[in-house]
Amino acid sequence: MPEAPEGRSAHVDVAGAVVLAAALLPVLFLAGERNLWSRHLAVAAGLAVVAVVLLCVWAVIELRSTTPLVDVRAVRHPAVAGANLAMFVGGIGMYLLLTLITRYAQTPHGAGDGFGLTTFVAGLVLIPFSVLAFVAGKLTPRVRTRIADPLLLAGSAVVVGGGFALFAAARSDLAELFAAMGVLGFGVGGFSAAMPGVILAVTPKSETSSAMSFNYVVRSVGYSLGSAIGGLILAAGTGPGHLFPDDSAYTTAALVGIGAMAITTLTSLALARRRSSETNP
């Protein structure tokens, strides 16, 4: 850790990190345990209350800390808050599709769907994702000279939504999974490359690190929730006595993902409209 400037501390906000982790634990647990809501509603509601209280405590700690994990005041700007909302919901959708495709690829043929791929071979399905995410990341800086960052976010969200639509409509052939994963990668790469520009455009230089760190935390939480929600939907679509979900459960999960990316697109368009009104009063 580099030496802090005079008058400032380089200490890590351990209390804030611990409380945030403690608050996220019940959130992820509730998202992944569908039986808890149906059989133990009081316990589920209690955990939800605990999560909310801990998040409030975390916010108070961050506001009072001289070296906060996240400067909460810096993320209250409408544009930054909107970008974090887009990242959160978009992160849920992005990781949801990633989970669905890899899970579907490994589902045994005897289940009535899937391709029965081994873990190693199923990992190869990620190659189109990685390649096209890299390509999108390289193209985005050039496109940013002509298109505003919020519009790039909206366009990338639409691309990810297209990956969901492709997976929902066509997954009988392994090539279709590769295609859906490639579309997802291109959308994720563009979205991730455009996001910093949205935040940094309205954040003071002294607070850019904190604002971006908070966005990374939001993204990680969104990814985790996306994976948990995917598992929840597939578990709900698994019939009694069956080990694997029905094929319709994947379609349902894909439709949920399309809804998440629609929200992300609308949020990004709202950011674009706000920026346009500020630059052209």
Side-chain angles (χ1 to χ4, degrees):
M1 184 179 296
E3 183 178 356
E6 185 177 355
R8 297 188 65 179
S9 172
H11 294 164
V12 177
D13 181 17
V14 176
V18 170
V19 174
L20 178 60
L24 294 179
L25 181 62
V27 172
L28 297 176
F29 183 75
L30 289 172
E33 295 294 329
R34 71 181 183 94
N35 290 332
L36 195 63
W37 291 99
S38 59
R39 299 180 181 179
H40 306 284
L41 183 59
V43 175
L47 288 175
V49 171
V50 169
V52 172
V53 171
L54 287 175
L55 286 173
C56 292
V57 171
W58 173 76
V60 172
I61 292 175
E62 298 306 284
L63 289 172
R64 294 182 176 180
S65 175
T66 56
T67 57
L69 182 70
V70 172
D71 187 349
V72 178
R73 295 181 181 87
V75 300
R76 292 187 299 180
H77 189 286
V80 178
N84 286 322
L85 175 61
M87 186 73 261
F88 177 70
V89 181
I92 291 176
M94 294 170 193
Y95 218 83
L96 173 59
L97 183 55
L98 193 66
T99 301
L100 292 177
I101 293 177
T102 52
R103 172 68 183 271
Y104 192 85
Q106 297 178 74
T107 301
H109 291 291
D113 49 49
F115 299 94
L117 302 182
T118 64
T119 302
F120 173 77
V121 177
L124 298 179
V125 180
L126 294 173
I127 292 178
F129 175 91
S130 301
V131 172
L132 288 177
F134 175 79
V135 171
K138 289 296 183 181
L139 290 177
T140 299
R142 301 179 182 179
V143 179
R144 287 178 62 192
T145 60
R146 299 183 179 182
I147 302 176
D149 291 310
L151 290 178
L152 284 176
L153 286 184
S156 299
V158 170
V159 171
V160 175
F164 272 109
L166 179 59
F167 178 75
R171 53 178 181 270
S172 59
D173 189 275
L174 190 57
E176 294 168 343
L177 291 191
F178 276 89
M181 190 65 85
V183 173
L184 172 64
F186 193 81
V188 171
F191 196 91
S192 300
M195 178 59 72
V198 177
I199 296 177
L200 298 182
V202 294
T203 303
K205 291 183 178 180
S206 60
E207 303 297 338
T208 55
S209 177
S210 181
M212 290 307 304
S213 297
F214 185 77
N215 187 257
Y216 292 146
V217 171
V218 168
R219 179 176 64 178
S220 298
V221 174
Y223 285 174
S224 299
L225 277 176
S227 181
I229 290 173
L232 179 66
I233 296 174
L234 295 182
T238 303
H242 294 161
L243 295 176
F244 301 97
D246 298 332
D247 187 69
S248 60
Y250 287 94
T251 302
T252 300
L255 294 177
V256 171
I258 291 175
M261 300 320 299
I263 295 174
T264 305
T265 301
L266 293 175
T267 303
S268 301
L269 290 176
L271 290 174
R273 178 176 295 182
R274 179 181 179 83
R275 175 176 292 190
S276 177
S277 63
E278 290 178 348
T279 55
N280 301 300

